[in-house]
Amino acid sequence: MSHKRQSQPPSRAKGRTRGHRAEAKISRRQFVRNLGGAAIAASAAAEGSWSALRAVAYAATSPAKELSVALSLGPWNGSVEYLFKKYGEATGTTFKTTKAPYIEHYRRMVQAMQRQDASYDFIVIDPAMYGTIFFKNKLVTPIKEIDPSWKPDPNLIEPHIKVGTYEGVTYALPIVGNTQLLFYRSDVTRAAGFAGPPKTINEMIEVNKKVTDTGRPFYGCIVPAKANYDIVYTSLAYVKSAGGDIFATDSGPDWTIRFTSPESVKGYKAWLSLRPWSSPDSANVHWAELMNYILTDRAWGGLTVAAQVFQIDDPKFSKVPGKIDVAMPLIIDGGSGKPAPILGTWSMAIPLRAPRKGEALAFMKWALTRENQRDFALQGGIAVRRDVLTDPALTKDPKNRWFAAELESSALGQLRPQMEHWIEVQDRMVPYLQKAFTNEMPLVAALNAAAKDVQELLDRYGYKHGPLQLAKE
Amino acid sequence: MGGSKRTGILLLLPAAILIAVLMLYPLGHMVGMAAVQNGKWVLTRSGLVLSRDGVFWRALWNTLIFVVASVTAEMATGLVFALLLWEGRGRAANFARGLILLPSMLSPTVVGIVWLLLFYPFGLVNWGTTLLGLGRLQYLADPRLAMASVIFVDIWQWTPFVFIFVLAGLTGMPVEPREAALVDGASAWQVFRYITLPLLRPTLAAALMFRVIDAFRAFDKILIMTNGGPAEVTTILSIYLYKVSFHYQNWNYGALLALVLITVTLAFHWTYNRLVVRRLA
C-alpha cells in the first residue's frame, strides 16, 4: 500500500487527503482526465472506429495503474507472471492478462492490431514468426517513439533485440530468450564412450549409431517433422549452418529463393541424414512429442526450443531427472563452420493505440534490468542478458547447467525471414519437406517443387526476387 | 382464409427472422468477404488464384476420398451392427448397444487425442500389432497409412450414429411383411434383400445425408491427429480453409474456400435429393 501511495501522481495523493473515496480505484480527477480522451473517441468513432471507443472505455474504467497484457500460453508464463507480481509489489501496478494457445493468440493479436484495438497496453509476441506483420505495417509503436532516449543495454544479447527490429527500428523488446538447443542424455552419451555431446553432424551420426545399439527400443536424435512449422524451423538450423538460407536476404528487399542452392541442399541432406535413428513416427512428431521421447527414456535427444528446459529436472515430467543436458545445435561439416540456432525469442511490443504506452515501456525496461532478469531466471525464466547467464552465483547451481549453451546459442541466434507472409511460405514448404522426409519424393525434386510453389506466392504478393535457380543433384 | 394466412405468416415470422439473422446474414457476410476486399471487387482474381491453387485441388480430392470412404464404411458397419442387435434381448444386448453408442458421445477433440495416443509408436495399437508379429506401423506418420487411419477413426466415431438411426428404423418397421415372407419359405437373405432393405431405404437415405454433410465438415480430429500431414495427404478442405483464414489471416480467400465447401455440400444435397429422396417419396 505504501508503495502505491509513493508512486501515485501528486494530484491523486492530494485528492485522497481531501477525503475523496479512499477505496476508489481511480480518482475523480483521473477519471475526468481519462474522459478527456472521449474527444478523440468521438472523432474516431465518427470514422467508424470501435477501437478508439474501446480505448477510452478501457482507460476510463480500469484502475489507474493497471496494465493489460496479452500472452501466448507457454511453459514460460509462470516466470513472466512472476515479474508482473514483483513489479506490482514495487509500484502498485496490477496486470490484467489475457492468454491463449499459440495459434489463437497469434490470430487474436493480428486481428486486434489490424483493427488498431486499444485493449492491450503491451503484447507478448513471437516476432521471428509473425512480427513483421506488426512492424512493417506500423501496428505497434517503435520504442524510441515513446522514449527517444532509449538505447539497448549492452548486456542484452543482441540477436534478441534484432528479432524485434525491422528496417533499423526497434519495435519489440525481448523477454524470454527462447532459442534452439540440442537436448540430450548426458549419461547415455558417456556410457556410449563419448566425452561430451556431438558438435558436428558426423559426430552426431556416430553417437546415433552407438546409443541406439542397445537392444532395447531407444532412438537417437529425434527429428521433429510434423506437418507444422517444426519441420521448417528445425531443418533451417542445418541449412543455415551449411551456409544456405531460405531467401537471399533475411529482411529483403531481395527475396530470391535460396533453399535450392547447393549450400541449402547440403544442409537439408545433413538434416535427413539423421532420419534413420529418429523415431519411426517422426513425420508426425513435433517439439512436445520430441521432448516426451527424451523425458520418458525412449530417445537420446533432439533439437528443440530452450523453453522446454523447465521440464528436464522435474520428476513430474521426467523419468530421467538430472540426466538430460543441453548443447549447441550441430555444425554442418564444410559449411559455415558455426552452429546456426534459430531464434524463437518472445518479445514485448506496445500496440499503436495502447492506452498506457509510457507505463508499459516503464515495465518493459524494468523487466530487463540485471536484478529483475536475475530473479526471472531464478523462477525458471530464460534470461536475455549476458551478465545474468554468466552470473557465477547462478551458473554454479547444477540446475542452471544450460545457461552457457543458452548464451552461446542466443549470441549466434539466426533470424527467420522478416516477411509478412512467412507463415504462408512455411506452409508451402512443409508438405514437400515431409515428402522428402518420408521418401515420397527425392530431396532435390521436393525442394524444387516447394520453390515453384513459394515463387508463385512471392509473385502473388509482389515480393521482388531474382530468377529461380532450381536445385541440382 | 386471408386471416388464417396472415396468422400463419405471423407464426412463421419469429423463426424466419431467427433464420435470417443467424444463418442468412453470416452467409451473406461471407459471400461479401469473398467478393470484396477493402472496397475492391476481388472475387474474379481470387477465383483465378483458386483455379491454379494446387493445395486447394489436393484438399478437394482428399475431402472427396475422406467423405466417400468414411461414409460408405459407416453406413455398412452401422447397418450390420443394427441388424445384429435389432432383435437382441437381455442385458448383454443392452450393454452392447450402449457400448456401440459410446464413441459418438465423445467430443471430436477428445477422439483425436485418444487416437493420437493409441496410434503412438508405443501405443496400444502398435503393442497389439507387435504381439501379432506385424511390427510397429506408423499410422499417422506414414503417407500411405495416414488417410486410412483418419478415415478409420471417423468410422469408429460415427458408425454409432448410423447404428442408432437404422436401429430406430428397424424397430419401427412393420413385422407382418417379414412374417409373411418367412411363412412363404423365404430365406433370411431373401427377407433382408426384398423386405427389410426396401423398407429401410428412407431411414438409410436420411442417415446417409446427415453423415455426408457432417463428413464434409470434419476438422478437429484430423487437425489434432495429423494437422493435415504428412505431405498433405490428410489436408481436407476444412483444414486448408482453417490454415488460410487463421494462419495466413487471408480472410477473403478463406471465405472463398468456405463458399466452395458449402457449394460442394449443397451440390451433393441437391443431387441426392433429386436422385434418391424424391424417388423414395
Side-chain angles (χ1 to χ4, degrees):
Chain A
M1 201 62 193
S2 59
H3 286 303
K4 260 186 184 176
R5 289 232 169 106
Q6 280 163 16
S7 57
Q8 282 157 5
S11 59
R12 191 176 167 198
K14 199 176 165 190
R16 283 198 173 174
T17 57
R18 281 181 189 165
H20 285 256
R21 284 184 304 155
E23 293 307 313
K25 286 186 174 175
I26 56 170
S27 70
R28 227 173 259 174
R29 182 173 294 197
Q30 179 77 43
F31 184 77
V32 171
R33 198 169 57 193
N34 289 341
L35 273 185
I40 304 162
S43 59
E47 294 167 20
S49 170
W50 274 103
S51 61
L53 274 178
R54 262 199 298 270
V56 172
Y58 170 66
T61 55
S62 62
K65 297 200 79 179
E66 180 186 85
L67 289 175
S68 174
V69 192
L71 291 176
S72 176
L73 275 170
W76 44 269
N77 287 172
S79 48
V80 171
E81 283 169 322
Y82 165 78
L83 287 179
F84 295 166
K85 190 169 162 246
K86 192 181 171 199
Y87 189 69
E89 285 165 3
T91 65
T93 304
T94 56
F95 287 81
K96 190 175 92 178
T97 53
T98 308
K99 291 187 213 168
Y102 188 92
I103 283 291
E104 176 59 12
H105 173 73
Y106 153 72
R107 184 188 68 78
R108 280 190 200 173
M109 291 307 101
V110 172
Q111 284 188 321
M113 295 310 107
Q114 279 175 343
R115 62 170 188 258
Q116 302 195 357
D117 196 315
S119 307
Y120 305 108
D121 294 299
F122 71 93
I123 57 176
V124 179
I125 57 170
D126 179 0
M129 277 288 271
Y130 52 79
T132 314
I133 301 172
F134 303 146
F135 308 155
K136 189 181 174 197
N137 298 303
K138 310 231 175 327
L139 301 176
V140 290
T141 318
I143 302 299
K144 282 206 166 195
E145 203 175 291
I146 307 167
D147 177 3
S149 66
W150 177 82
K151 271 190 208 152
D153 186 315
N155 257 300
L156 287 174
I157 303 164
E158 205 261 334
H160 289 315
I161 298 286
K162 207 171 157 190
V163 80
T165 302
Y166 181 75
E167 292 182 342
V169 179
T170 301
Y171 291 88
L173 299 182
I175 182 69
V176 182
N178 201 23
T179 186
Q180 275 176 329
L181 291 173
L182 182 68
F183 287 73
Y184 72 99
R185 283 285 296 278
S186 48
D187 59 328
V188 175
T189 313
R190 275 194 303 273
F194 297 95
K199 288 192 169 67
T200 66
I201 196 85
N202 288 340
E203 287 177 19
M204 182 70 253
I205 289 170
E206 288 309 307
V207 170
N208 268 340
K209 284 179 187 165
K210 283 271 180 74
V211 298
T212 54
D213 189 22
T214 58
R216 65 170 179 134
F218 189 80
Y219 304 117
C221 179
I222 302 283
V223 184
K226 194 165 182 150
N228 64 18
Y229 312 128
D230 275 15
I231 191 168
V232 180
Y233 178 63
T234 310
S235 57
L236 192 53
Y238 299 89
V239 171
K240 288 215 178 204
S241 177
D245 215 325
I246 302 292
F247 297 111
T249 52
D250 273 336
S251 311
D254 183 2
W255 297 104
T256 304
I257 289 172
R258 275 210 58 203
F259 60 82
T260 47
S261 70
E263 295 83 7
S264 299
V265 173
K266 189 177 179 187
Y268 283 117
K269 279 185 179 165
W271 165 68
L272 286 180
S273 70
L274 301 177
R275 190 177 41 184
W277 299 279
S278 185
S279 62
D281 66 335
S282 294
N284 205 37
V285 163
H286 76 319
W287 57 263
E289 286 141 358
L290 177 156
M291 274 315 285
N292 195 38
Y293 268 116
I294 308 172
L295 296 167
T296 55
D297 191 22
R298 287 194 164 119
W300 172 85
L303 184 65
T304 187
V305 287
Q308 293 303 309
V309 82
F310 81 103
Q311 303 182 82
I312 61 175
D313 289 335
D314 188 341
K316 267 194 300 187
F317 301 102
S318 178
K319 274 189 181 176
V320 285
K323 293 176 179 174
I324 299 171
D325 216 327
V326 294
M328 288 290 286
L330 300 165
I331 299 167
I332 310 305
D333 305 287
S336 67
K338 284 180 185 173
I342 310 299
L343 291 164
T345 319
W346 284 97
S347 302
M348 303 173 283
I350 300 171
L352 193 66
R353 292 274 180 96
R356 295 178 182 127
K357 291 184 181 183
E359 289 87 339
L361 185 59
F363 166 76
M364 285 155 63
K365 289 198 284 192
W366 174 91
L368 294 173
T369 57
R370 183 178 181 185
E371 184 204 337
N372 295 313
Q373 278 283 298
R374 197 176 178 279
D375 285 354
F376 174 64
L378 284 171
Q379 294 298 317
I382 304 172
V384 291
R385 287 182 67 101
R386 235 179 224 101
D387 51 5
V388 172
L389 290 172
T390 51
D391 185 335
L394 295 175
T395 52
K396 72 179 181 194
D397 186 341
K399 81 176 170 54
N400 296 329
R401 60 190 180 278
W402 53 275
F403 274 24
E406 168 60 21
L407 174 61
E408 204 182 339
S409 183
S410 297
L412 288 173
Q414 302 285 314
L415 294 177
R416 281 168 271 180
Q418 286 192 310
M419 66 191 317
E420 275 185 277
H421 299 92
W422 170 234
I423 287 183
E424 204 166 343
V425 168
Q426 284 185 99
D427 259 10
R428 287 300 172 105
M429 295 178 70
V430 166
Y432 295 106
L433 290 179
Q434 280 202 310
K435 279 179 187 172
F437 191 85
T438 55
N439 283 326
E440 289 285 295
M441 244 175 148
L443 174 69
V444 165
L447 292 176
N448 286 341
K452 285 175 190 163
D453 262 20
V454 173
Q455 181 100 324
E456 187 269 323
L457 263 189
L458 296 178
D459 291 337
R460 190 196 298 176
Y461 293 122
Y463 286 94
K464 285 183 186 161
H465 60 79
L468 175 61
Q469 303 282 333
L470 293 178
K472 292 185 186 108
E473 282 297 345
Chain B
M1 194 67 187
S4 77
K5 194 177 174 186
R6 209 168 25 247
T7 312
I9 290 169
L10 277 173
L11 287 170
L12 278 175
L13 205 59
I17 291 171
L18 209 64
I19 288 170
V21 171
L22 296 180
M23 291 177 71
L24 296 180
Y25 173 73
L27 203 64
H29 189 70
M30 194 177 70
V31 174
M33 271 171 73
V36 181
Q37 193 179 27
N38 299 328
K40 284 184 193 156
W41 178 262
V42 292
L43 189 60
T44 322
R45 188 173 170 272
S46 301
L48 278 173
V49 170
L50 186 83
S51 68
R52 292 194 299 256
D53 184 349
V55 187
F56 161 72
W57 291 109
R58 276 196 291 279
L60 185 63
W61 177 242
N62 289 344
T63 308
L64 294 176
I65 291 175
F66 177 80
V67 171
V68 171
S70 61
V71 174
T72 308
E74 284 157 19
M75 293 300 293
T77 324
L79 179 65
V80 169
F81 277 134
L83 288 169
L84 288 174
L85 290 169
W86 172 24
E87 288 179 323
R89 297 282 179 270
R91 279 187 191 173
N94 286 338
F95 177 73
R97 283 190 198 111
L99 202 65
I100 290 172
L101 285 178
L102 209 60
S104 65
M105 295 175 192
L106 298 173
S107 134
T109 314
V110 173
V111 171
I113 293 168
V114 166
W115 279 98
L116 184 67
L117 295 173
L118 287 172
F119 283 143
Y120 184 62
F122 296 97
L124 197 67
V125 177
N126 268 316
W127 178 73
T129 52
T130 311
L131 277 186
L132 293 171
L134 299 171
R136 288 199 175 93
L137 296 172
Q138 304 318 315
Y139 298 94
L140 300 173
D142 186 335
R144 293 161 300 180
L145 290 178
M147 180 54 110
S149 303
V150 296
I151 288 172
F152 172 80
V153 175
D154 197 72
I155 295 167
W156 180 82
Q157 187 176 23
W158 293 117
T159 291
F161 174 85
V162 180
F163 163 76
I164 201 76
F165 232 84
V166 177
L167 194 66
L170 287 169
T171 312
M173 196 182 282
V175 290
E176 294 81 2
R178 290 178 60 248
E179 281 175 357
L182 286 170
V183 168
D184 288 344
S187 67
W189 168 249
Q190 284 170 326
V191 171
F192 171 71
R193 172 73 185 81
Y194 298 106
I195 311 284
T196 313
L197 200 56
L199 287 173
L200 262 185
R201 264 185 202 156
T203 310
L204 290 172
L208 181 72
M209 199 164 69
F210 277 119
R211 278 310 308 137
V212 169
I213 291 171
D214 197 51
F216 271 115
R217 295 185 301 135
F219 170 70
D220 5 29
K221 280 194 298 276
I222 301 177
L223 190 80
I224 287 167
M225 287 194 292
T226 64
N227 198 28
E232 273 176 354
V233 294
T234 61
T235 296
I236 58 170
L237 266 182
S238 58
I239 299 268
Y240 185 46
L241 190 164
Y242 166 78
K243 285 187 178 175
V244 166
S245 305
F246 293 91
H247 289 200
Y248 317 154
Q249 307 278 322
N250 192 342
W251 300 102
N252 148 265
Y253 196 54
L256 182 63
L257 288 170
L259 274 181
V260 171
L261 186 58
I262 291 173
T263 309
V264 172
T265 314
L266 283 177
F268 162 79
H269 182 71
W270 183 82
T271 316
Y272 188 71
N273 222 13
R274 283 188 76 85
L275 295 181
V276 181
V277 179
R278 281 192 194 175
R279 193 177 295 172
L280 284 173

